[in-house]
Amino acid sequence: MKNNNNHPNKDKDNKDGKKSNRSEASIKSSPSRSTADKGLQAGGTLEELRVKYNENISGNLSSHSSGSRSGILSARSSIYVDLGQFLDFDDLLPMIGEFGLFQKLLFLFMIPFTFIAAFVYLGQIFMTLAPHNFYCLVPELSVVTDEAERKELSIPREEDGSFSHCLMYDANYTAIHFAFNRSIFLNSTWPTIPCKNGYVFDTVEMPFRTATMEFGWVCDSQYYATIAQMIFFLGSILGGLGYGRFADLCGRLSALVSSCFLALIGSLFTSITTNFAGFAATRLLVGASYDTCFTMIYILVLEYVGPKYRTFVANMSLAIFYAPFTMLMPWLALGFSYWRVFSAMCAIPICLSLLSFWLLPESARWLVSVGQIDNAVDLLKRVARRNNKSVPPVVFEHFKFSCQQFYKEELQGRSFTICSIFKKGRMARYMVLMILIWMAISLVYDGHVRAASVLDSHNVFVFFTIACATELPGNILVILTLDRFGRRWCAFVFTFLSGIFSLVAACMSKPKHMLGAALAGRFFANICYNIGLQWAAEVLPTVVRAQGVSFIHTMGYVSMLMSPPVVFLSQVSSSLMLIILGVLGLLGGILALFLPETLNHDLPQTLSDGAEFGREQRIWHGPCCGPGSKRVKRPQRLWHQGSSLRTISRDEFRSTKMHRVARIAPRKTHISSQDTLDTEKTIQTYTFEHAKN
């Protein structure tokens, strides 16, 4: 790597015609250590420390030989480089605690938000459940206590002998009402008409009164429930796009609380709607809060957790919090027995989320990105105290200096957009593949979730609970396999198996066999959905990761728009619905093989990294055996330590000041003085070793 012309000592160094090389020796020097300790005790900013060290070394030039002078000049350059190495969030986390008491409390704070996510996502499914046993209401025959007689007098039969759901006889029911012997009016040749006065529903089969039953969204109006669910996902698309921008401008905590408030208002107004237009409008509001009401706390917790704990925390939060609430949701609906009460009562716990402004911390990374570096440092100090970690003040000064010099300028000067991903051929191919895979996985997952409400109409609450119970072992299986066999093969195997079992279920003639195979398809759909959440964020480079993942998730919501119509096909044939889900599962699994493996690989940081990422991998590349089983590290030319928001390519730097500091290439020279060797090594390591001691 060529030296940067902006380095202040470059002209002098070029006159000497000498280059320096960092020593690999680990020898301690008492005079140098003493100098370092004095500098640490003095405190101050990193720039002040740098000046002090340069002055101390310059004062000793006269007492050294010419050989030593060259070595000390090399040491001066090393000081500048080492103090210029930026302390990243991922570098600081091990010092303040990667999964201490602070992170564990944050983990527990996810509980109410997982309930909100489960209610927002699944609540509408129960509000719009359509019963299978119903017939036309004839008010004139309400005096007839025998239901079988009422049906014989007013409802025609279908070809299979069952009573019609949507037709009634066009007869003089007033005469039948006052007739002494009603049996003489039995006549199957009477003309038929659609239901005029509503419907009578089987309350034994469906003890929960739904909006579908109240508004009569059956027969010719049965598509209203499907449209309402599609409007919900339309709101999710709008909310995902809007809240992504809102979170960058106002903070993660503001986005979290405001989205939960939107869910609260939408749910309360849902409970008082009187027609389809009002119901659809309120579900649009609730849909806009979907994803953000949980994703923000999900991201917030992961930002404070060390890298080695993130896979565990990400999946265990879904396994032990989200999965039980999804299993509880049908029984809450059944317990409240009325969709309006269900919507209002489940919205009340959302009020607790408004307390998050006082109970939850803001994202320290976001605080830095908007220039509130002092607040971020104070917050990280609080994390260290809560985790009972003793961190020297100079470490936080080092981190503050790094933020001032890099993060603020880097983020404010960022000019990357989603279009930047498509400027590199390999990255564009990965992006298209991830969009297609995520759309297939999202549709398969949501389709199986909704299919649980139509596959077993006689035991819908029991079967829905069993289907949601597959979330728990699915999340545990992800934890056990994802970091062992890698993302590619896990995504391929589990998505492919979901498709296989869906097709098997479609071919089953016995209902029990169909339900068993469909449950297996749902189980594997849970797993591949969780893998997709993590995989997309790892393939995209850091500088476009947030925008890219947001766009991929938005496209997933677009595909979810088609999920209610796919499930609606069960009205025609359950096999047809399962065939579509099965084919999509097979397609998504095959496409997963064309994405690169991220396990045992340093994740791409820049657009250049993204363009080269996965180039050396082949179709049979596996992280558990062969060449892929060893960690592949970046070339040593990279100067950075952490992994957050770093770039190295000259074309991708926005900060000229940071470009001077980061792009220094150490000069190589022959060091003949042992004292100078000790000085260089001590200066290189004092910042972190002193902090540890």
Side-chain angles (χ1 to χ4, degrees), residues 270-286:
T270 296
S271 65
I272 61 175
T273 55
T274 58
N275 52 44
F276 173 77
F279 186 86
T282 57
R283 300 321 294 172
L284 183 72
L285 288 179
V286 176

Side-chain angles (χ1 to χ4, degrees), residues 156-321:
R157 291 183 180 270
E158 301 288 351
E159 294 181 359
D160 60 359
S162 62
F163 287 103
S164 175
H165 294 306
C166 306
L167 297 176
M168 58 183 289
Y169 289 127
D170 186 12
N172 185 359
Y173 291 105
T174 302
I176 298 175
H177 173 81
F178 290 104
F180 180 77
N181 184 10
R182 299 187 183 94
S183 60
I184 62 175
F185 289 95
L186 295 176
N187 190 345
S188 61
T189 62
W190 282 343
T192 59
I193 57 174
C195 300
K196 298 189 303 182
N197 304 299
Y199 304 88
V200 177
F201 298 97
D202 186 354
T203 57
V204 176
E205 177 201 17
M206 181 61 69
F208 176 67
R209 182 169 176 80
T210 67
T212 299
M213 299 164 64
E214 182 170 330
F215 295 130
W217 294 339
V218 292
C219 297
D220 293 339
S221 302
Q222 61 183 343
Y223 57 87
Y224 279 123
T226 300
I227 292 177
Q229 297 189 29
M230 294 178 67
I231 290 175
F232 173 86
F233 284 115
L234 178 61
S236 300
I237 297 173
L238 299 177
L241 295 175
Y243 271 114
R245 182 63 176 165
F246 182 82
D248 288 338
L249 294 176
C250 303
R252 305 330 186 215
L253 200 55
S254 298
L256 176 67
V257 174
S258 61
S259 64
C260 290
F261 182 74
L262 195 62
L264 172 64
I265 296 300
S267 298
L268 290 177
F269 275 95
T270 296
S271 65
I272 61 175
T273 55
T274 58
N275 52 44
F276 173 77
F279 186 86
T282 57
R283 300 321 294 172
L284 183 72
L285 288 179
V286 176
S289 70
Y290 173 58
D291 192 56
T292 306
C293 65
F294 176 71
T295 300
M296 286 303 160
I297 184 67
Y298 183 84
I299 294 174
L300 194 64
V301 173
L302 292 185
E303 283 187 341
Y304 284 102
V305 173
K308 67 179 180 179
Y309 294 101
R310 286 174 186 165
T311 298
F312 173 81
V313 170
N315 289 280
M316 285 305 294
S317 63
L318 298 175
I320 63 178
F321 299 151

Side-chain angles (χ1 to χ4, degrees), residues 100-111:
L101 179 60
F102 182 88
Q103 287 87 350
K104 292 174 182 176
L105 290 175
L106 275 184
F107 184 68
L108 294 177
F109 271 118
M110 297 177 75
I111 294 177

Side-chain angles (χ1 to χ4, degrees), residues 140-152:
E140 294 85 350
L141 299 182
S142 59
V143 295
V144 180
T145 58
D146 188 358
E147 184 180 27
E149 184 180 358
R150 285 202 309 269
K151 287 183 177 182
E152 290 289 350

Side-chain angles (χ1 to χ4, degrees), residues 427-599:
M427 243 191 334
R429 185 169 72 249
Y430 290 162
M431 186 66 176
V432 172
L433 284 171
M434 284 187 292
I435 290 174
L436 294 176
I437 292 170
W438 184 246
M439 291 180 72
I441 290 177
S442 298
L443 182 51
V444 169
Y445 173 76
D446 190 69
H448 274 287
V449 170
R450 297 178 186 278
S453 63
V454 298
L455 287 175
D456 189 355
S457 59
H458 300 289
N459 302 286
V460 59
F461 295 97
V462 174
F463 183 74
F464 196 95
T465 303
I466 296 174
C468 290
T470 61
E471 295 268 3
L472 180 59
N475 289 319
I476 294 176
L477 188 59
V478 170
I479 297 174
L480 297 177
T481 59
L482 197 59
D483 289 338
R484 181 181 298 272
F485 300 104
R487 282 60 165 157
R488 283 177 72 248
W489 290 108
C490 285
F492 165 71
V493 171
F494 294 133
T495 309
F496 202 81
L497 285 175
S498 177
I500 290 294
F501 278 102
S502 297
L503 293 177
V504 170
C507 298
M508 293 294 179
S509 58
K510 295 184 178 181
K512 291 185 178 179
H513 295 168
M514 176 182 286
L515 293 179
L519 278 177
R522 164 71 185 275
F523 171 73
F524 291 114
N526 298 336
I527 299 175
C528 61
Y529 189 83
N530 291 343
I531 294 173
L533 287 173
Q534 184 172 343
W535 197 11
E538 295 176 342
V539 173
L540 292 176
T542 300
V543 292
V544 290
R545 184 168 295 151
Q547 298 179 70
V549 171
S550 177
F551 183 76
I552 292 171
H553 282 201
T554 301
M555 295 304 296
Y557 299 143
V558 172
S559 70
M560 284 184 176
L561 276 172
M562 300 306 300
S563 176
V566 169
V567 177
F568 184 75
L569 292 176
S570 63
Q571 302 290 334
V572 179
S573 171
S574 298
S575 296
L576 182 59
M577 173 188 68
L578 292 170
I579 288 173
I580 294 176
L581 297 179
V583 171
L584 289 173
L586 296 180
L587 179 63
I590 294 173
L591 291 178
L593 291 176
F594 295 93
L595 282 179
E597 179 56 66
T598 57
L599 181 62

